[in-house]
Amino acid sequence: ASPAVIGTTTVTPIGASVYVLMDVPMLSAAQSGPSFLVAMTGALAGWRGGVLMQSTDAGSTWASVQDFGPPGSALGTCTNSIGVVEHRVVDSASVLNVTLTQGALYSVTQLALLGGANHFAYGADGRWEIIAAQTCTLVSGTSYVLQNLLRGRFGSEWAMGLHAVGDALILLDTTDVAVIAMSAGTIGLSYLYRGVTVDRDISTDTNRSFAYQGVNLKPLSPIALTGNRDPSSNDWTLTWIRRTRDGGEWRDYVDASLGDASEAYAIDVYADGSYATVKRTLTASAPSCVYASTDQVSDFGANQATLYLKLYQISATVGRGYPLTASITR
């Protein structure tokens, strides 16, 4: 038979899928229930899309949970790391270098930045920090420098000191990042995942184990913990301010939404500044509590002039949120 094709034919490699599973704080109302985020792109330019597969029975059966079209998400790997800063102001000193697998980054105005543009997940599973970058400068090829950063966004300031070279960076564009709905019963359970390129067999990827921990449901750490000791009774009165993971816009005469079914707190009182031994756990249903003199004597043998505390807001779904660690001397 005569050949159907005459001349030179170029075959473009399809390439493998590159994907990141992100158990990150609640960024929008789409994550109000149990869920995590996924970003996917191709290792090569010829990538035609991919599918995230999930197995809940150790690989016996697989189900498709999300499709991704080309070019996919803008994601890459950081070639340096940045550390702890004051997260309540713009970080103009840190410089973050990233090499993208696919995609492109662009600078935005400060107004757009404060309005939610150019937000990224930076880190790895178990230590994601949410950052935002006003200035994204192309160095060469797919390498960028990110500057003028907002750090510790959405209550993730606790992760600022945990970064390492090689951490992932994912642009949290709502059109390119998918929300994977889960159920409360799956929190803490490890399932298997594979990212499979369109028109390729499931065997072209290997198993990746991932356990959703409900990070988007965890209450943020409270702030402004303070206390006063009554000079006559020696009772401590502790007060603080809660934060919300849901909304939080400034509106006249309206408090920030609670974000949980009910308000509850746990305050661990530690023996000393090593925060190794818990002497007592106080509970409260409002942002204040009393540590009575009789309890201090029972716990320490004497009234205390300095308290070493860890304060948590409690969720009915995932339990303790992120702690505020503080010492108070009066």
Side-chain angles (χ1 to χ4, degrees), residues 232-293:
S232 58
S233 67
N234 284 310
D235 290 347
W236 276 91
T237 299
L238 304 172
T239 60
W240 56 87
I241 298 173
R242 67 172 175 85
R243 292 194 287 174
T244 182
R245 59 183 178 82
D246 182 12
E249 296 81 5
W250 284 10
R251 295 188 292 154
D252 292 341
Y253 312 113
V254 178
D255 200 359
S257 60
L258 182 61
D260 283 287
S262 60
E263 189 170 3
Y265 303 92
I267 309 96
D268 288 341
V269 181
Y270 284 83
D272 52 42
S274 67
Y275 294 92
T277 304
V278 176
K279 304 294 286 187
R280 179 179 293 268
T281 298
L282 307 171
T283 59
S285 57
S288 66
C289 72
V290 173
Y291 186 24
S293 171

Side-chain angles (χ1 to χ4, degrees), residues 165-207:
V165 175
D167 277 357
L169 186 83
I170 301 94
L171 178 62
L172 297 173
D173 188 327
T174 55
T175 60
D176 296 329
V177 175
V179 179
I180 307 300
M182 302 290 280
S183 66
T186 64
I187 296 175
L189 299 182
S190 183
Y191 293 150
L192 298 180
Y193 294 86
R194 292 189 184 189
V196 182
T197 300
V198 169
D199 294 332
R200 299 189 73 183
D201 190 80
I202 191 173
S203 62
T204 56
D205 192 25
T206 56
N207 293 341

Side-chain angles (χ1 to χ4, degrees), residues 45-273:
W47 189 71
R48 295 185 297 214
V51 180
L52 180 69
M53 308 294 291
Q54 180 193 69
S55 175
T56 61
D57 54 10
S60 296
T61 60
W62 293 87
S64 169
V65 293
Q66 183 66 44
D67 296 335
F68 294 85
S73 310
L75 58 87
T77 302
C78 298
T79 57
N80 72 321
S81 64
I82 53 179
V84 178
V85 299
E86 171 52 69
H87 67 279
R88 293 172 294 182
V89 297
V90 175
D91 178 9
S92 57
S94 297
V95 175
L96 185 61
N97 303 313
V98 59
T99 299
L100 295 183
T101 303
Q102 292 290 341
L105 303 179
Y106 303 94
S107 298
V108 296
T109 65
Q110 189 176 82
L111 183 61
L113 182 78
L114 297 174
N118 263 15
H119 276 63
F120 300 84
Y122 168 41
D125 189 30
R127 52 179 182 84
W128 290 109
E129 180 191 355
I130 306 302
I131 68 172
Q134 180 182 347
T135 307
C136 301
T137 305
L138 178 63
V139 178
S140 63
T142 59
S143 296
Y144 289 81
V145 171
L146 276 57
Q147 295 173 286
N148 300 316
L149 309 174
L150 296 179
R151 301 288 304 280
R153 304 287 285 163
F154 300 95
S156 64
E157 70 279 353
W158 59 270
M160 286 194 296
L162 304 177
H163 295 298
V165 175
D167 277 357
L169 186 83
I170 301 94
L171 178 62
L172 297 173
D173 188 327
T174 55
T175 60
D176 296 329
V177 175
V179 179
I180 307 300
M182 302 290 280
S183 66
T186 64
I187 296 175
L189 299 182
S190 183
Y191 293 150
L192 298 180
Y193 294 86
R194 292 189 184 189
V196 182
T197 300
V198 169
D199 294 332
R200 299 189 73 183
D201 190 80
I202 191 173
S203 62
T204 56
D205 192 25
T206 56
N207 293 341
R208 182 182 304 181
S209 179
F210 173 76
Y212 166 61
Q213 301 293 347
V215 169
N216 63 309
L217 305 178
K218 283 190 175 184
L220 308 187
S221 62
I223 62 170
L225 174 62
T226 189
N228 292 293
R229 189 160 60 118
D230 189 294
S232 58
S233 67
N234 284 310
D235 290 347
W236 276 91
T237 299
L238 304 172
T239 60
W240 56 87
I241 298 173
R242 67 172 175 85
R243 292 194 287 174
T244 182
R245 59 183 178 82
D246 182 12
E249 296 81 5
W250 284 10
R251 295 188 292 154
D252 292 341
Y253 312 113
V254 178
D255 200 359
S257 60
L258 182 61
D260 283 287
S262 60
E263 189 170 3
Y265 303 92
I267 309 96
D268 288 341
V269 181
Y270 284 83
D272 52 42

